[in-house]
Amino acid sequence: LDVVRHFYDALMQGDGSAASSFVIGEKRERGPLSARQLTEFYSGLSSPITLKDASESDNGTVSVKYKYEAANGHLCNGSADVYLVVRNTAPLIARIDSHGGC
């Protein structure tokens, strides 16, 4: 659960580089979990992302609820499933499946 909280804390600061350090290595350089794309999106929010809830399921997936306000004023109250894997004894984020269109 800590890795997910640290990931969202970094996003709240708009720090995609710090956030991507909690992501598996092969997804840090390209794609939506890359440092560049995370920084571009989360540093441009009108209101930073806030993690409202995080709970772990039996299979190592963490369900999260969050909110933020986009640059265009759209308010998002979203949720996602965060999938973790263990690499070199450290849990890392392998993928995130968002729900609800945010």
Side-chain angles (χ1 to χ4, degrees), residues 65-88:
K65 293 181 182 177
Y66 54 84
K67 68 176 184 171
Y68 64 81
E69 184 178 346
N72 66 4
H74 174 73
L75 184 59
C76 173
N77 282 299
S79 63
D81 292 322
V82 181
Y83 295 87
L84 302 174
V85 295
V86 176
R87 298 269 174 96
N88 297 325

Side-chain angles (χ1 to χ4, degrees), residues 6-10 19 34 45-46 51-53 58 60 62 66 74 86 95 98:
H6 292 308
F7 175 79
Y8 281 94
D9 286 345
S34 70
L45 296 176
S46 294
L51 185 62
K52 296 175 8 180
D53 187 48
D58 292 338
V62 177
Y66 54 84
H74 174 73
V86 176
R95 84 174 196 265
S98 298

